[in-house]
Amino acid sequence: MATITFLGAAQEVTGSCHMLESPALGRVLLDCGMHQGGDAVERIQDEQFAFDPSTIDAVLLSHAHLDHSGMLPKLYHEGFRGDILCTRATAELLSVMLHDSVGLYLRDLERTNIRNARRGKPAVEPVFDMEDVEGVLKLCRGSLYGERVDYGPAGVVCFHDAGHILGSAIVEVVLNEQSQQKTLVFSGDLGKRDSVLMNEPATLQQADVVLMESTYGDREHRDEESSLQQLRDILQQTWRRGGSVMIPAFAVGRTQDILFHLGCLHYQGELDNWQVFLDSPMAIAVTRVYDRWLDLLDGDEVRHLSDVQKTSLETFLPTLNLAIDTEESMAINRIKGGAIIIAGSGMCTGGRIRHHFKQRIWDDRNTVIFTGYQAQGTLGRILVDGAKRVKLFNEEYVIKAQIETLGGLSAHAGQGGLLDWIGHFQPAPRTLLVHGESRALDGLREALWDQQQLRAEIPSRGQSIVY
C-alpha cells in the first residue's frame, strides 16, 4: 500500500509539495516548493513543514522553479540528508536559483532587522542560509531523461521531458510490492506543444495514479504566432509613443524565449532601434546554463541559432546589453525612451523590476508586458487585474503605463494540451488535479468528464489517499 499526502499546490498554484510513503520507496517528497506572494521575509518565516524533515528519505524534484524547489534549503536546515533526484540540467539550474533566492532573502532579512532595531523590536533569525544551499546541492543526484534509477527497497524512478523549462521532468515512480507493480506519474509542470526552444512534453501510456498540474486548466493560450504579432504591435506602438518597455523576467524559460523572439525580429528587420537590457544577474546566469544544454532543446530553434552563425542565446541578439551590477542597472534610468528592459522578478515580488516601475510606470508612453502566470497576492497579479495605483518603496504611484499580457508565451500547457496529455493513458488512471486555482481546477475537471468521461479528483491541502 502506498499513501500520497498533498502538502502544497493543493487548490493553489505555488508551493508544490506532495509526500509519497511506501515500503518499496520509503518516505519521499514530490517537490519541495515555496509559496509566492506578499512580503518575502514574512512568507518564508511563516513556512512550516507538516512533517519532520529528518524522516524524509528523498526528494523527487520535477524542476528548478522556486515554487517547486525553494524550500529545499529549509528542509536541509531542519535535518534532511536524503538524496535529491532530478535531471542533470535541473541540478545545474538549481545552483543558480537557490543562491539567488537565498541571497535576496538574507538581504531582505537584514533590512527588516535594521527596521526592527529602530523600532525596538527583536531581530528575526534566518530560517536558512548559504550553507544550507551548499548542503542541498551536494545531495543532488542528476540523471538523464528516460534513465531508470533503482531507489529504495523496491522502487524505480524515471524522469521524462515535461517541455516546461530546461531540465523539467514528468516524474514516473514504479513501486514493486508483494508481487504487485504500481505506477505513479507526477506531471510536474507541463509545457505547451508549440513552445520555442522546448520539446513537446513526453507522453506516457500507463499509470495507476496521476497527479496532474492544472494552472491553465480552464482556458487556452493564444497560439505562438498570434502572440508574436501582438509583441510586434506592442513594440511598434510603444516606439511611436517614444516610450520604453518593461518585461518582468521569469529567469528560467521565459527570459530565454523572449531573447530568442527579439533576436528573430532583429534578423527580420522588425526591431527598430530598440536597445535591449537584460537586467537580472540570475537570468543572465540561467541563459548561460541554457547555452550549455542547447542539445537538449528543440531542434528547429537551435538550428535557427546556427543559421545566423550564433551559437548561444546571449549572442543571438546583437543589441542585447547585460546589466550585472547595480550601477549598470541604475544607468538604464538615464535612457528615457527606446529601451526594452527585461528585469527580475517575473511576478514582481522583488528584484530590479520594481525599481524600473518606480522610474517609468507613471508615464503613459511606457508599456509593461507580462509573459507568464501571476500568482494571487503578487504585484504582478495586482497590475494584471487593473489596479490604478500601486505602492512601491513606501510611496504611491499612479499607473499610467500600458499593461499587456502575452498569454501565448506561457510555459504551461493550456486546457487542450492537458486533455491531450492525460488522454494517452490507457486505461484511464486515477487522476488528481493539483497546482491550480479553484476556477482552473473546476474547469479542467468538467472538461475531463465531458470529453473523456474521466472523473478527476481535486484533493485539499493535508488530504491523503491510499492506492
Side-chain angles (χ1 to χ4, degrees), residues 363-433:
D363 188 335
D364 62 8
R365 295 174 300 173
N366 297 327
T367 303
V368 179
I369 300 178
F370 288 98
T371 61
Y373 178 81
Q374 302 297 308
Q376 288 185 344
T378 63
L379 174 57
R381 182 64 166 264
I382 291 169
L383 294 174
V384 168
D385 284 347
K388 302 301 181 185
R389 296 174 180 269
V390 67
K391 198 167 189 178
L392 297 165
F393 309 103
N394 296 316
E395 290 187 43
E396 191 172 82
Y397 292 83
V398 175
I399 300 168
K400 291 187 177 180
Q402 302 294 313
I403 308 296
E404 303 281 357
T405 299
L406 295 181
L409 298 189
S410 172
H412 287 266
Q415 186 186 81
L418 294 170
L419 292 171
D420 178 77
W421 183 80
I422 194 70
H424 284 82
F425 289 91
Q426 297 297 330
R430 184 177 184 181
T431 301
L432 299 116
L433 305 182

Side-chain angles (χ1 to χ4, degrees), residues 43 99 226:
R43 184 183 68 245
H99 279 112
S226 296

Side-chain angles (χ1 to χ4, degrees), residues 38-225:
D39 179 83
V41 170
E42 292 180 2
R43 184 183 68 245
I44 292 172
Q45 299 297 131
D46 290 342
E47 293 270 13
Q48 300 294 328
F49 294 123
F51 51 84
D52 179 355
S54 67
T55 67
I56 302 299
D57 296 301
V59 176
L60 311 182
L61 183 61
S62 66
H63 64 288
H65 273 153
L66 292 175
D67 62 322
H68 295 256
S69 70
M71 283 294 105
L72 287 171
K74 180 178 173 67
L75 193 75
Y76 182 89
H77 188 85
E78 296 186 7
F80 170 71
R81 293 297 184 272
D83 293 317
I84 300 172
L85 277 62
C86 58
T87 66
R88 293 180 185 176
T90 290
E92 189 169 348
L93 282 177
L94 195 63
S95 175
V96 178
M97 301 292 284
L98 293 184
H99 279 112
D100 184 86
S101 173
V102 174
L104 288 173
Y105 162 68
L106 293 174
R107 287 193 289 274
D108 287 346
L109 182 63
E110 183 179 8
R111 286 192 287 267
T112 296
N113 283 333
I114 290 172
R115 288 196 300 270
N116 286 349
R118 290 171 182 162
R119 298 168 185 172
K121 295 182 178 181
V124 178
E125 293 297 320
V127 299
F128 47 64
D129 56 26
M130 286 300 182
E131 289 186 8
D132 298 312
V133 173
E134 298 305 326
V136 164
L137 297 177
K138 289 177 182 176
L139 299 179
C140 288
R141 286 181 53 187
S143 60
L144 300 174
Y145 289 134
E147 182 180 347
R148 304 187 74 79
V149 179
D150 291 328
Y151 200 84
V156 177
V157 177
C158 187
F159 297 106
H160 306 272
D161 195 344
H164 175 60
I165 63 168
L166 180 67
S168 61
I170 300 160
V171 184
E172 180 185 20
V173 183
V174 180
L175 307 176
N176 295 286
E177 297 178 344
Q178 299 177 344
S179 301
Q180 286 188 321
Q181 188 176 92
K182 298 178 181 178
T183 301
L184 165 75
V185 171
F186 171 44
S187 73
D189 285 354
L190 294 170
K192 297 194 297 113
R193 284 169 289 185
D194 63 348
S195 291
V196 299
L197 300 181
M198 292 294 101
N199 299 303
E200 291 188 5
T203 53
L204 283 70
Q205 297 180 342
Q206 193 280 322
D208 297 287
V209 176
V210 172
L211 276 60
M212 183 169 74
E213 73 121 317
S214 314
T215 311
Y216 289 97
D218 61 333
R219 55 202 186 276
E220 296 291 359
H221 303 300
R222 285 187 174 204
D223 63 79
E224 196 86 11
E225 187 51 46

